[in-house]
Amino acid sequence: MEKLNGLRCRECGRRYPATPVHVCEFCFGPLEVDYRYDTLQTIVTRESIAAGPPSMWRYKDLLPVEGDVAVGHHVGFTPLIRAQNLADELGCREVWVKNDSVCHPSWSFKDRVVAVAVTKAKEFGYDTVACASTGNLANSVAAHAAEGRLKSYIFIPADLEQGKVLATLVYNPTLVAVHGTYDEVNRLCSEIADKYRWAFVNVNFRPYYSEGSKSYGFEIIEQLGWRAPEHIIVPCAGGSLITKIWKGIKELKTLGLIAGPVTTKMHAAQAAGCGPIVTMIRNDTDVLVPVRPNTIAKSLAIGNPADGYYAYKAVKESGGYGAHTTDEEIVEGMLLLARTEGIFTETAGGVTLAAAKKLIEAGVIQRTESIVICITGNGLKTPDALYDRLEAHVKIKPSLSAFDRALADLKSHAT
Amino acid sequence: MPRIRVRLTFPPEQIQQPIVYHLVKDFDLIPNIRRAEVKADYGWMALELEGDEGALERAVAWLKGRGVQVDPIERDVIVP
Ligand SMILES: Cc1ncc(COP(=O)(O)O)c(C=O)c1O
Ligand SMILES: [Zn+2]
């Protein structure tokens, strides 16, 4: 059964067949996958989803994959945790953490988008995938390319530290380090994507790739028992994740799968040092002013986000808001989540938790309402954010008496 | 002839400047504007520029020198 109408320009509405194209030839607007919801209505039910695998592919009917899943069979369906310790600390009643810090295989939500993009690449007969990335995306593309036995090219700025690329290099991609300013590297990669017949996951495959993020939203709703929460706080870089979570929730509503009304407010979380989307929301303007990123939250450091306008629209449409967080607050957020729930998230998670705390304290989010905090990446990837901040509490010689003394000391300090 | 698709973001002081005119006159480029938005203190333009390679490079450098941000049409190609 045909479930796709093809692609559609988000700006002028022109239609395109479902091929690897990403911008409208007429207005240069971004293209988006267009589904036949009337067809989907007849095949997608809560039961059909529940009968699917414990992965993002239980929602395959609502993703743009038409053939078999090629890679990333175990991506997604990550834990949604009732975070009571955190709720107590924040003085809230109902707090949930959607934990993609343990997303298989590369420990961030990017596995969701990449699994769709690489599966699509195989579907379209490509033998090479590519991306330009300094972090999570590179890890995930290299991992999924290895699994799919595809060649992969990963482009990075030449000044990136070796340590940052180890978790990519291990999968044996071709790593291309480009000398030049960020702007030059960015533009070169766009030209390469244009010239070579490769599946550049976030360029020519972007319409398919970005749909993978909807699964994050689908899972939240299903795991809450097909109920929409009152608030979802989402970390934003390019602005795609928050846009697609919102799209996913609206799709479930359209298909009649959500119990009760959807009163969910989507809130954007960004670092103060790179917060152009939150600035739009707070200034209540649809004009995005690009910034030069300066923050420890490297995985959110996109100064001129392609989906900034759509992220703003999703937030406004849902009645949500946004918060900027300082580097200090980001680290405190990471430590708070680790201390209360035993979850070690990366800086992006610190941003989200710190933003949630601010929105609660400002009264934007009521303490009696249901809150979902989106944790999208793993802390073991960004340990440098915590260097100089944590150290062993006790250092002793290897003798029992030394330990006895140290323990007594600790206890006296604690009281 | 080589072509590039770029998105220009203008700072307030450049909004009223005849930028496109200079691209044609000084660099011999053929601009094809697809979408743009210009407000009192801010503006952007998505366009295709056609010309010879050296001229395209020089034009991009000239734009940047005037404080105009030049991004590929996709903007965030490098993703963290
Ligand atoms: C861990 C993490 N969280 C959130 C984001 C934001 O996603 P988006 O670019 O779709 O806004 C990113 C990457 O961009 C990321 O790496
Ligand atoms: Zn269009």
Side-chain angles (χ1 to χ4, degrees), chain A residues 45-47 49-50 58-59 218 220-228 252 257-260:
Chain A
T45 61
R46 290 184 190 177
E47 292 70 31
I49 291 168
R58 62 206 281 109
Y59 313 102
F218 294 153
I220 291 173
I221 302 296
E222 183 184 357
Q223 289 169 317
L224 283 175
W226 298 106
R227 172 170 70 93
L252 295 183
L257 301 181
I258 297 182

Side-chain angles (χ1 to χ4, degrees), chain A residues 11 22-23 25-29 132-137 182 185-187 189-190 202 206 238 286-288 290 298-299 302 304-306, chain B residues 3-7 9 32-35 37 39 42 44 46-48 56-57 60 64 69-80:
Chain A
E11 292 302 323
H22 66 297
V23 282
E25 282 306 317
F26 289 85
C27 76
F28 286 179
S133 170
T134 52
N136 287 324
L137 182 64
Y182 178 90
V185 180
N186 207 40
R187 210 153 59 77
C189 292
S190 160
N202 60 322
R206 193 179 180 100
D286 63 3
V287 170
L288 185 142
K298 301 281 184 236
S299 55
I302 292 180
N304 193 6
Chain B
R3 268 186 285 194
I4 56 172
R5 296 186 297 187
V6 289
R7 182 184 173 101
T9 308
N32 187 344
I33 301 170
R34 302 305 180 87
R35 212 148 51 91
E37 188 176 1
K39 301 203 171 170
Y42 173 86
W44 63 266
L47 76 172
E48 189 167 63
L56 287 170
E57 285 306 319
V60 168
K64 286 184 176 173
Q69 185 165 339
V70 184
D71 291 308
I73 201 78
E74 299 87 4
R75 286 186 270 178
D76 50 9
V77 177
I78 303 182
V79 171

Side-chain angles (χ1 to χ4, degrees), chain B residues 25-38:
Chain B
K25 183 96 188 336
D26 303 347
F27 300 95
D28 207 17
L29 301 182
I30 307 170
N32 187 344
I33 301 170
R34 302 305 180 87
R35 212 148 51 91
E37 188 176 1
V38 181

Side-chain angles (χ1 to χ4, degrees), chain A residues 13-340:
Chain A
R14 270 195 179 74
R15 292 177 184 285
Y16 293 81
T19 56
V21 290
H22 66 297
V23 282
C24 173
E25 282 306 317
F26 289 85
C27 76
F28 286 179
L31 302 183
E32 183 172 41
V33 177
D34 187 22
Y35 297 86
R36 298 192 174 160
Y37 291 108
D38 47 349
T39 301
L40 290 174
Q41 209 132 26
T42 63
I43 54 177
V44 184
T45 61
R46 290 184 190 177
E47 292 70 31
S48 72
I49 291 168
S55 73
M56 65 182 280
W57 300 112
R58 62 206 281 109
Y59 313 102
K60 181 167 173 258
D61 288 334
L62 303 175
L63 296 170
V65 168
E66 288 166 291
D68 289 339
V69 176
V71 296
H73 289 89
H74 303 282
V75 174
F77 217 54
T78 53
L80 179 76
I81 295 156
R82 178 78 189 250
Q84 198 55 52
N85 297 337
L86 179 61
D88 291 346
E89 189 104 5
L90 295 172
C92 294
R93 187 178 60 79
E94 186 183 348
V95 176
W96 301 84
V97 168
K98 176 63 177 167
N99 188 12
D100 261 24
S101 74
V102 292
C103 197
H104 177 86
S106 78
W107 297 2
S108 87
F109 91 97
K110 292 285 185 202
D111 289 330
R112 300 175 183 273
V113 284
V114 171
V116 173
V118 174
T119 289
K120 257 343 240 190
K122 287 208 122 182
E123 212 170 280
F124 286 125
Y126 283 67
D127 66 359
T128 304
V129 295
C131 74
S133 170
T134 52
N136 287 324
L137 182 64
N139 299 166
S140 189
V141 169
H144 286 93
E147 186 198 350
R149 304 220 140 215
L150 297 167
K151 290 191 276 273
S152 63
Y153 284 83
I154 312 287
F155 296 87
I156 59 164
D159 56 6
L160 195 64
E161 313 96 86
Q162 265 301 294
K164 290 255 184 268
V165 293
L166 270 186
T168 296
L169 275 175
V170 70
Y171 304 107
N172 197 34
T174 301
L175 192 79
V176 183
V178 188
H179 289 277
T181 63
Y182 178 90
D183 290 2
E184 289 165 342
V185 180
N186 207 40
R187 210 153 59 77
L188 170 70
C189 292
S190 160
E191 288 171 21
I192 291 170
D194 198 37
K195 174 163 182 180
Y196 291 85
R197 203 183 169 279
W198 295 343
F200 224 101
V201 296
N202 60 322
V203 184
N204 52 338
F205 275 67
R206 193 179 180 100
Y208 307 103
Y209 158 95
S210 57
E211 285 287 293
S213 286
K214 289 192 308 189
S215 66
Y216 194 100
F218 294 153
E219 289 175 20
I220 291 173
I221 302 296
E222 183 184 357
Q223 289 169 317
L224 283 175
W226 298 106
R227 172 170 70 93
E230 284 157 295
H231 301 276
I232 303 182
I233 302 103
V234 189
C236 300
S240 176
L241 177 63
I242 192 169
T243 308
K244 295 293 178 169
I245 291 176
W246 182 233
K247 180 181 180 189
I249 291 174
K250 288 196 295 186
E251 285 181 348
L252 295 183
K253 186 68 195 165
T254 301
L255 296 172
L257 301 181
I258 297 182
V262 172
T263 57
T264 309
K265 294 183 167 73
M266 304 292 298
H267 303 281
Q270 290 197 299
C274 184
I277 295 172
V278 169
T279 300
M280 292 170 88
I281 296 164
R282 297 187 82 96
N283 293 346
D284 202 5
T285 166
D286 63 3
V287 170
L288 185 142
V289 180
V291 300
R292 292 264 153 210
N294 177 20
T295 167
I296 58 167
K298 301 281 184 236
S299 55
L300 301 182
I302 292 180
N304 193 6
D307 289 318
Y309 170 73
Y310 305 108
Y312 163 83
K313 289 241 295 196
V315 168
K316 293 303 281 187
E317 193 181 304
S318 70
Y321 204 49
H324 284 130
T325 60
T326 64
D327 284 355
E328 189 61 36
E329 290 164 341
I330 293 168
V331 171
E332 279 166 21
M334 293 168 72
L335 298 178
L336 175 60
L337 187 64
R339 176 163 63 75
T340 55

